[in-house]
């Protein structure tokens, strides 16, 4: 007879494997901000970590293979005027990352292959202005390209079309600060938790609330994650006695949870992460030194505890690698990047299913969402919905996700009035010039030496004409964006701007000399006439 105390599961022996020291990222000034956003974001190319800074906000971006001690002079993204609160990589383009900040803005950044090296990046690809208070959370649509949601401390969720920099929808159904957002499998529904202790299911295309219920009774932050295509939700929060607990809900009937369990009495906020391919839920607590994992089943009791990963130091935050970035030859099914709360280090932790044969395991790696959208932003705004595009993780290395961006060349300022219950707002979108493929002006790096034979006015007009030529080329090729020439073009434009400023100064100095000489000549002529 089968022993009934052991449940049959292929994930029963799942365990967490930390990386060696040389595979970690060290000497990082991790942000100490108390906000419960994501301090770390990862994709198969880069790792982004919010860093401590003064006088503004910044985050560090490193190529995934650049492990070890992080150089002090490494480049950072420094375009925000306030602390950065959340980061999210574009699921359909590994070179684009979105960030939100205390400065009320949401920005998109184009990261060149190879990272930023030693130069800071201050110019954003797109700047979205609409929140009246700081923007705290971001979420990309899982199937529609260029659709980004931002939740702010003004109790609003703003839906953006990042390709055009326009506001698609303003959702104002919350009465307090929003703690978390999560899309369902095809992006037709959005679940949110709020400080008013309510769990809501929203139609993001219409901005209407479909279902809502009272969540956990505690006052601390609660989090929610949609459980793929199961039409169930998983929440974490606190009871009225400040005990940490989790609950499973059905979107069909949200009057009572399907199951609710108390974990412990710790004070750290629990972040849930769900892997739809393996049906495993991971719970990582802020300030905890462990990561718990549970297996989801299709009937009562709905969820089984598997095991936990234990560590000797607590974590400040964690980042999660998309499924297409895991190592299939190690039977790795999930990977965390833990930020230390005690030392400036980021440690990768692999979740591994032990198998004797280290080859592709079809039962561990079913078809997973591909880095390709099934909808355009226009189709989604027209009310269409489609399931995500699936592909085999065996083909992940051959997938190209460095797409060219097509943005308008001029700087736009859009005034969009929204008729919400709160009040009208001014939505603005600032755009820089696009990046062009031609190496314009590279032969004029020694511009001062080449123009010594000209007078100042000719030199100034020549530099101005060159600047106009660059703008003309940018206007003609506004739909081309080559990330390889980004840093080089910025250097050229900065050098030319500095040259114009210096030539203006020289011109004013020459004009003062001419005026002085004219005065001296006039005085000499007057003295000669008197004699």
């Amino acid at each position: 007879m089968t022993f009934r105390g052991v449940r049959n599961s292929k994930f029963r022996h799942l365990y967490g494997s930390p990386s060696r020291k040389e595979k970690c990222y060290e000497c990082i000034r991790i942000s100490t901000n108390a906000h419960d956003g994501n301090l770390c974001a990862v994709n198969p190319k880069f790792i982004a970590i919010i860093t401590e800074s003064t006088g503004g906000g910044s985050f560090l971006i490193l190529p995934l293979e650049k492990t070890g001690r992080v150089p002090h002079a490494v480049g950072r993204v420094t375009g925000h005027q306030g602390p950065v609160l959340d980061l999210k990589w574009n699921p359909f383009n590994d070179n684009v990352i979105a960030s939100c900040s205390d400065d009320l803005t949401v920005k998109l950044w184009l990261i060149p292959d190879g990272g930023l090296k030693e130069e800071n990046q201050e110019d954003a690809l797109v700047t979205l202005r609409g929140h009246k208070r700081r923007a705290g959370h971001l979420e990309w649509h899982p199937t529609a390209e260029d659709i980004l949601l931002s939740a702010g401390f003004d109790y609003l969720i703003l839906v953006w079309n990042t390709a055009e920099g326009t506001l698609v929808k303003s959702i104002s159904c919350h009465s307090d600060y929003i703690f978390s957002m999560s899309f369902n499998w095809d992006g037709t529904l959005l679940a949110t938790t709020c400080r008013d202790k309510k769990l809501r299911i929203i139609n993001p295309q219409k901005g209407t609330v479909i279902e809502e219920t009272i969540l956990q009774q505690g006052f601390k932050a609660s989090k929610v994650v949609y459980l793929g295509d199961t039409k169930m939700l998983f929440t974490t929060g606190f009871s009225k006695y400040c005990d940490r607990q989790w609950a499973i809900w059905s979107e069909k009937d949200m009057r009572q949870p399907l199951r609710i369990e108390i974990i412990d009495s710790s004070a750290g906020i629990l972040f849930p992460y769900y892997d739809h391919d393996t049906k495993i839920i991971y719970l990582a607590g802020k300030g905890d030194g462990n990561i718990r994992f549970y297996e989801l089943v299709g009937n009562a009791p709905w969820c089984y505890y598997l095991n936990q990963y234990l560590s000797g130091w607590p974590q400040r935050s964690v980042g999660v690698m998309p499924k297409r970035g895991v190592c299939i030859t190690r039977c790795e099914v999930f990977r965390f990047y833990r930020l230390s709360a005690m030392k400036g280090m980021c440690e990768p932790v692999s979740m591994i299913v032990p198998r004797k044969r280290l080859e592709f395991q079809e039962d561990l790696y079913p078809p997973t969402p591909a880095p390709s959208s099934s909808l355009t932003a226009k189709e989604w705004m027209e009310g269409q919905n489609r399931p995500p595009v699936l592909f085999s993780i065996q083909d992940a290395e051959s997938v190209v996700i460095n797409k060219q961006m097509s943005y308008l060349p001029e700087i736009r300022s859009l005034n969009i009035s929204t008729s919400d219950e709160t009040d009208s707002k001014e939505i603005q979108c600032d755009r820089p010039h696009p990046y062009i493929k031609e190496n314009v002006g590279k032969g004029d790096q020694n511009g001062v030496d080449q123009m010594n034979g000209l007078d100042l006015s000719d030199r100034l007009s020549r530099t101005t004409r060159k600047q106009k030529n660059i703008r003309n080329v940018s206007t003609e090729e506004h739909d081309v964006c080559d990330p390889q020439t980004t840093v080089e073009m910025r250097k050229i434009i900065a050098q030319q701007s500095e040259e114009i400023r210096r030539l203006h100064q020289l011109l004013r100095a020459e004009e003062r000399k001419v005026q002085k000489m004219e005065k001296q000549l006039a005085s000499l002529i007057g003295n000669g006439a008197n004699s």
Side-chain angles (χ1 to χ4, degrees), residues 238-273:
F238 294 82
S239 68
K240 60 181 178 180
Y241 301 109
C242 294
D243 295 323
R244 294 197 300 187
Q245 59 185 16
W246 58 262
I248 295 180
W249 306 77
S250 172
E251 67 176 27
K252 298 180 181 179
D253 185 4
M254 296 183 61
R255 290 174 295 181
Q256 293 291 333
L258 298 176
R259 182 183 176 186
I260 186 168
E261 288 289 335
I262 292 178
I263 300 175
D264 54 27
S265 299
S266 298
I269 298 172
L270 283 171
F271 293 83
Y273 301 93

Side-chain angles (χ1 to χ4, degrees), residues 16-19 309 332 334-338 347-351:
S17 174
S19 300
Y309 165 78
E332 181 186 31
F334 215 67
R335 189 190 305 166
F336 289 98
Y337 287 77
R338 301 176 64 235
E347 178 192 37
V349 177
S350 300
M351 297 296 167

Side-chain angles (χ1 to χ4, degrees), residues 13-72:
H13 300 293
L14 177 69
Y15 69 96
S17 174
S19 300
R20 299 191 303 270
K21 186 177 181 180
E22 59 268 20
K23 296 297 182 180
C24 298
Y25 306 85
E26 297 184 282
C27 301
I28 304 173
R29 295 186 59 191
I30 303 172
S31 174
T32 58
N33 196 299
H35 180 68
D36 58 348
N38 296 293
L39 300 182
C40 178
V42 190
N43 66 18
K45 273 189 177 182
F46 303 103
I47 177 172
I49 301 173
I50 301 176
T51 56
E52 192 72 15
S53 60
T54 57
S58 67
F59 56 94
L60 175 73
I61 292 183
L62 296 171
L64 211 62
E65 65 276 6
K66 299 294 184 181
T67 57
R69 295 175 64 91
V70 177
H72 179 71

Side-chain angles (χ1 to χ4, degrees), residues 263-522:
I263 300 175
D264 54 27
S265 299
S266 298
I269 298 172
L270 283 171
F271 293 83
Y273 301 93
Y274 179 62
D275 181 13
H276 178 69
D277 297 342
T278 59
K279 304 294 189 297
I280 295 178
I281 304 161
Y282 300 88
L283 298 185
K286 187 175 181 180
D288 290 2
N290 60 349
I291 299 175
R292 299 174 176 86
F293 28 100
Y294 302 77
E295 184 177 4
L296 182 73
V297 294
N299 46 34
W302 309 106
C303 192
Y304 286 98
Y305 172 78
L306 291 175
N307 206 342
Q308 63 178 333
Y309 165 78
L310 296 174
S311 174
W313 47 270
Q315 60 218 6
R316 190 183 303 276
S317 180
V318 297
V320 174
M321 172 66 72
K323 198 58 176 288
R324 54 191 171 87
V326 300
C327 181
I328 59 177
T329 58
R330 298 178 58 200
C331 295
E332 181 186 31
V333 295
F334 215 67
R335 189 190 305 166
F336 289 98
Y337 287 77
R338 301 176 64 235
L339 300 184
S340 171
M342 303 174 62
K343 47 188 176 181
M345 187 178 73
C346 176
E347 178 192 37
V349 177
S350 300
M351 297 296 167
I352 297 175
V353 178
R355 294 283 174 93
K356 291 183 179 180
R357 300 177 61 185
L358 298 180
E359 59 184 21
F360 183 72
Q361 308 286 331
E362 294 184 359
D363 60 329
L364 297 183
Y365 304 105
T368 191
S372 302
S373 60
S374 57
L375 285 169
T376 63
K378 183 178 179 181
E379 290 173 338
W380 185 82
M381 289 186 290
E382 291 174 350
Q384 300 184 37
N385 291 293
R386 294 194 191 104
V389 178
L390 302 181
F391 82 128
S392 174
I393 199 173
Q394 281 184 299
D395 305 327
E397 294 183 357
S398 62
V399 175
V400 178
I401 23 94
N402 183 5
K403 304 175 184 177
Q404 292 185 345
M405 310 299 294
S406 57
Y407 289 101
L408 298 178
E410 70 275 5
I411 296 178
R412 301 172 56 194
S413 179
L414 304 177
N415 296 325
I416 303 175
S417 60
T418 58
S419 56
D420 294 324
E421 297 180 359
T422 53
D423 50 5
S424 62
K425 298 173 286 297
E426 183 180 89
I427 312 300
Q428 295 182 346
C429 172
D430 301 334
R431 299 181 177 277
H433 288 274
Y435 310 118
I436 57 179
K437 286 187 175 181
E438 281 80 356
N439 192 6
V440 182
K442 186 175 181 181
D444 295 333
Q445 291 179 357
N446 300 321
V448 178
D449 296 333
Q450 296 175 3
M451 294 187 290
N452 281 336
L454 304 175
D455 61 329
L456 288 175
S457 59
D458 291 337
R459 290 164 66 185
L460 182 59
S461 61
R462 177 171 174 175
T463 307
T464 306
R465 286 196 302 271
K466 190 194 317 184
Q467 191 80 352
K468 290 181 179 179
N469 290 336
I470 288 180
R471 286 198 296 268
N472 293 335
V473 175
S474 299
T475 306
E476 292 173 0
E477 300 187 4
H478 64 274
D479 58 339
V480 180
C481 176
D482 188 354
Q484 297 293 338
T485 61
T486 300
V487 177
E488 189 173 358
M489 289 306 303
R490 286 177 179 157
K491 286 183 180 179
I492 294 172
I493 295 175
Q495 289 174 359
Q496 291 169 350
S497 301
E498 180 64 22
E499 177 67 11
I500 291 175
R501 185 188 65 81
R502 196 177 66 82
L503 290 177
H504 275 295
Q505 293 178 352
L506 292 175
L507 182 61
R508 288 193 294 269
E510 292 294 334
E511 289 177 350
R512 287 195 294 269
K513 289 181 181 180
V514 170
Q515 293 175 359
K516 185 177 180 180
M517 294 175 64
E518 288 178 348
K519 290 181 181 179
Q520 292 177 355
L521 181 60

